[in-house]
């Protein structure tokens, strides 16, 4: 099984690139952010997730891990999965390792999109126009998301580096160029 963690700060292009990887390699694309946004808005779980997401904070690990595991379990015959926006904490990375090990598989590689902070901010502000997402529209919330990434999420790259599974990919340039860099990284796995 090809299990790719597509990593990077908010606005790095994980969603856009995941769609292209999904198409080329026939993988299942799982974005925990998309899963949270697709929950029945009247459910307690959706309200709880939204109370964190709208402020740019992480949804607690216990909830997020359960959601991820139930999503993966929907695709028992997947030839591979792109994990987009998960894991975002070391505890989530440990949980994913244990979950995949129980299925007799493991994370193949983490591809980490590297984009400077100024560019992330302008991409998110531009995305707000089309995404309608509250957390894209407010500069203070964007700042909080980037700080949360730096404090809680960036260390996850070290977790995979220790396992020799980390590749950094330049996330600046045309969408096409970045896709081609990701394709080359996957093709050389
Ligand atoms: P995203 O669509 O990846 O930008 O995620 C939007 C929001 O959903 C985040 O700011 C978090 O509040 C929540 N979220 C998504 N994935 C996770 C995760 N792996 N851990 C915790 N919270 C998450």
């Amino acid at each position: 099984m090809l299990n790719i963690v597509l990593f990077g700060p908010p606005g790095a292009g994980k969603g856009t690139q995941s769609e292209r990887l999904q198409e080329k390699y026939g993988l299942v694309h799982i974005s925990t952010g998309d899963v949270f946004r697709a929950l029945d808005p009247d459910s307690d779980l959706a309200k709880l997730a939204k109370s964190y997401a709208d402020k740019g904070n992480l949804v607690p690990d216990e909830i997020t891990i359960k959601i991820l595991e139930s999503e993966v379990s929907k695709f028992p015959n997947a030839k591979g999965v792109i994990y987009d926006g998960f894991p975002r904490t070391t505890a989530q990375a440990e949980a994913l390792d244990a979950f995949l090990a129980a299925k007799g598989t493991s994370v193949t590689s983490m591809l980490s999109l590297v984009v400077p902070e100024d560019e992330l901010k302008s991409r998110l502000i531009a995305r707000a126009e089309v995404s309608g997402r509250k957390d894209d529209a407010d500069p203070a919330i964007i700042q909080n998301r980037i700080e949360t990434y730096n404090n809680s999420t960036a260390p996850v790259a070290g977790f995979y580096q220790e396992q020799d599974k980390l590749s950094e990919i330049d996330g600046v340039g045309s969408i096409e160029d970045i896709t081609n860099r990701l394709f080359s990284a996957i093709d050389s796995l």
Side-chain angles (χ1 to χ4, degrees), residues 143-183:
Q143 188 62 38
N144 185 37
R145 289 165 69 199
I146 292 175
E147 278 169 23
T148 301
Y149 174 82
N150 289 336
N151 297 332
S152 306
T153 303
V156 177
F159 179 89
Y160 290 103
Q161 191 169 29
E162 276 171 23
Q163 299 183 21
D164 238 356
K165 291 180 175 174
L166 172 67
S167 290
E168 291 196 332
I169 308 290
D170 179 4
V172 180
S174 71
I175 291 177
E176 215 69 62
D177 285 348
I178 300 164
T179 306
N180 286 329
R181 287 174 205 145
L182 290 166
F183 286 172

Side-chain angles (χ1 to χ4, degrees), residues 8-11 14-15 31-37 48-61 63-65 68 84-89 92 124 127 133 135-136 141 145 148 153:
K14 301 185 294 295
S31 150
T32 38
D34 285 349
V35 175
F36 286 133
R37 284 185 290 275
L48 186 71
K50 197 169 157 48
S51 72
Y52 291 95
D54 280 354
K55 297 192 189 85
N57 294 325
L58 294 181
V59 177
D61 284 336
I63 298 168
T64 307
I65 290 165
L68 184 276
D84 160 9
F86 185 97
R88 260 172 153 104
T89 62
Q92 291 179 15
L124 289 170
R127 188 172 79 179
R133 280 173 56 174
D135 59 342
D136 285 345
I141 294 174
R145 289 165 69 199
T148 301
T153 303

